[in-house]
Amino acid sequence: MNTAFTNGAGRNERKETAINELLFSYGQLFVDDDAHREYLANIKYAIGISDERIQQAIQSRRVKPDPSAPRPTLPAAGRSAESPELTDSQARTMSLLRMSVSVRGTFVDDDDIGVPKKEKKPIAPAKTFPKFPDGAKLGSHLNCWSSPPSGNFMVRGPKYLKNKKKVPSSDYLFPCRGCDLFLTDLAPKNLGRNRAILEGKLREKPTFIVNYRLPWGVFLSYHEIPERFLPFLRRGHGHGDQSVPLPSTAGMTAGDRAACNFLLSDSEEKDAAWKIVPVVAQGPWMVKKVVGGKPAIVGKQLPITYVYQPAQKMGNDEELCEYLEADLDIVSSAAARNILAVVRSYTNVLTVDLGFVVQGNKKEELPEQMMLGLRLHGLDPLTAELLPEMDDEGEEGDGEPGLDDEDGNMTE
């Protein structure tokens, strides 16, 4: 017996087959009345196609609506006395549609029609990196994380526009919550929708996620977004009461104001201002030379996709906090690939600080302040776990953003 399609290519092929069979079998029944509008709505919901797509398919087959044709029905089980006589092909199509309506976007092979859909398993929290023990010697523990002293990062000083001097950064704006490494050949975007990551605790707090999409997996770091920044995050992505004025930034630090502007800005403005500062705290000289430690505008080096998911209330009274995710396409950058080629042989002996800061280009944005920072203590990909299955089955196979509800935003 064949199994349900869960990969992107297979699901898309099955989707097209279902569309074609539905339209071919029932094209003559599409007349303008309430019954047919409801029928079309069911098809659109189950398969995810538009009115335009339906009309194009109908016209391509030169099918003309027949007002005298019997009305189609979508029985819960079997065929009622009022239902039109169905051919074997039509019966299979309607069975497929019924199952598709019950599980949106999931298409099951004909051999599996009639087999009850398995109940979803409870979310199993994925193992996450532990925090590096306080006081331990660098290099003594692998696959751990900590927050390096923010002063390790040199940022533009208050008079940088005049004297070009840099100063040690003050505290991070977004405190680190942890990090994960998962193996996958897909490196999907919008991993915030995966309820298993960060031991299933991701959406207990508003979080900024940095998703490093690697050739063989994904490395994720998580950083809490403090309450004072949330109005700007929501406004920047079209959420919240647009008539309510934003809080004043007059009493904020220059770093706070720069972060607020970043959250309010569109993807192009974010790309132009968001800098990465990599520092090798401990490791071979060759790696230190390649990494360099100089700030770089991320958006100029590689493509970034930003995904915002607003807070959600679930049916069981559970409340999920919002998140903003930056998906970094490492594979698309020749410079990043070259660095990876050198670093990969030394990952288990490296201690690396990864910091991000919003570039201050105006007096009111100086001195700069590190937005977030993470120290990675060694990295052994051979011990990494496989990326957990998505709660929304099949989205992992797409490798593309798949928002949890209609209010999400994705920008590239």
Side-chain angles (χ1 to χ4, degrees):
M1 181 181 291
N2 294 330
T3 57
F5 283 102
T6 56
N7 60 74
R11 194 182 65 211
N12 290 337
E13 179 181 350
R14 190 63 184 172
K15 178 177 178 179
E16 187 68 21
T17 300
I19 293 172
N20 290 338
E21 187 172 6
L22 283 165
L23 294 174
F24 181 79
S25 301
Y26 285 90
Q28 292 185 341
L29 306 182
F30 293 162
V31 295
D32 189 19
D33 62 19
D34 291 341
H36 289 82
R37 277 194 290 271
E38 180 180 357
Y39 177 76
L40 284 174
N42 283 329
I43 294 177
K44 288 189 291 181
Y45 179 85
I47 304 178
I49 55 177
S50 64
D51 287 319
E52 180 179 331
R53 172 68 178 85
I54 292 174
Q55 294 304 323
Q56 287 176 349
I58 294 173
Q59 291 173 7
S60 69
R61 292 175 174 80
R62 298 179 181 177
V63 176
K64 296 182 179 180
D66 181 3
S68 63
R71 297 181 178 184
T73 59
L74 191 62
R79 184 176 60 83
S80 66
E82 292 78 17
S83 301
E85 292 292 336
L86 304 179
T87 65
D88 290 341
S89 174
Q90 291 171 337
R92 287 196 304 272
T93 299
M94 293 308 294
S95 297
L96 176 62
L97 179 57
R98 282 198 301 274
M99 298 188 73
S100 299
V101 170
S102 64
V103 184
R104 184 177 183 182
T106 301
F107 293 92
V108 185
D109 275 3
D110 289 350
D111 291 343
D112 286 336
I113 289 178
V115 178
K117 183 71 176 180
K118 291 183 179 179
E119 293 184 2
K120 284 189 176 182
K121 297 179 181 178
I123 296 170
K127 183 180 177 182
T128 192
F129 276 21
K131 196 167 184 180
F132 190 77
D134 292 337
K137 183 180 178 181
L138 290 183
S140 61
H141 293 73
L142 290 178
N143 295 334
C144 296
W145 71 275
S146 65
S147 293
S150 58
N152 285 8
F153 295 99
M154 301 298 290
V155 297
R156 294 184 175 189
K159 297 182 180 180
Y160 180 85
L161 298 180
K162 291 183 178 180
N163 59 22
K164 303 299 181 183
K165 289 186 177 181
K166 293 189 174 184
V167 298
S169 174
S170 54
D171 291 342
Y172 300 107
L173 296 172
F174 297 176
C176 187
R177 296 186 62 196
C179 63
D180 282 325
L181 177 67
F182 296 112
L183 301 179
T184 171
D185 57 353
L186 300 172
K189 303 175 185 177
N190 190 18
L191 279 174
R193 72 189 190 272
N194 191 319
R195 299 288 301 280
I197 61 177
L198 195 60
E199 293 185 326
K201 301 175 182 178
L202 172 68
R203 301 192 68 180
E204 291 181 0
K205 298 178 180 180
T207 301
F208 189 121
I209 307 168
V210 183
N211 176 13
Y212 302 81
R213 304 174 64 219
L214 304 166
W216 43 265
V218 289
F219 176 71
L220 305 164
S221 66
Y222 314 103
H223 309 266
E224 181 180 355
I225 304 176
E227 183 72 26
R228 66 184 183 276
F229 295 112
L230 296 183
F232 300 90
L233 172 64
R234 294 163 185 162
R235 182 66 58 86
H237 295 85
H239 290 267
D241 189 344
Q242 303 293 310
S243 65
V244 176
L246 287 170
S248 173
T249 60
M252 292 185 173
T253 67
D256 282 355
R257 287 193 292 271
C260 290
N261 290 335
F262 175 84
L263 296 174
L264 286 170
S265 62
D266 59 27
S267 59
E268 291 185 3
E269 293 169 328
K270 285 183 173 71
D271 285 351
W274 202 40
K275 296 189 295 188
I276 185 172
V277 189
V279 178
V280 178
Q282 180 175 287
W285 170 85
M286 180 182 297
V287 178
K288 289 183 177 181
K289 183 177 180 181
V290 171
V291 174
K294 292 184 178 180
I297 299 292
V298 185
K300 291 184 178 179
Q301 305 299 323
L302 48 84
I304 307 176
T305 300
Y306 302 93
V307 180
Y308 172 69
Q309 180 63 54
Q312 295 169 273
K313 288 187 178 181
M314 309 302 285
N316 56 358
D317 294 331
E318 180 185 10
E319 190 160 343
L320 305 180
C321 292
E322 59 214 290
Y323 67 82
L324 175 65
E325 179 172 328
D327 298 310
L328 312 185
D329 190 356
I330 305 297
V331 179
S332 297
S333 169
R337 290 198 305 272
N338 291 338
I339 292 175
L340 283 177
V342 174
V343 170
R344 66 183 178 184
S345 300
Y346 303 98
T347 55
N348 58 347
V349 296
L350 282 179
T351 301
V352 181
D353 295 344
L354 296 172
F356 288 86
V357 62
V358 178
Q359 180 164 286
N361 295 315
K362 297 178 287 188
K363 183 179 179 180
E364 57 268 25
E365 296 176 341
L366 296 172
E368 292 177 340
Q369 185 174 353
M370 294 302 294
M371 174 187 281
L372 50 90
L374 168 75
R375 172 166 287 180
L376 185 59
H377 298 264
L379 190 65
D380 185 2
L382 296 179
T383 63
E385 296 190 357
L386 295 176
L387 180 66
E389 292 184 4
M390 299 291 182
D391 184 29
D392 40 357
E393 184 181 355
E395 285 187 356
E396 178 186 346
D398 291 340
E400 295 297 331
L403 300 174
D404 289 339
D405 68 17
E406 295 179 353
D407 295 328
N409 299 111
M410 184 272 288
T411 56
E412 296 188 69

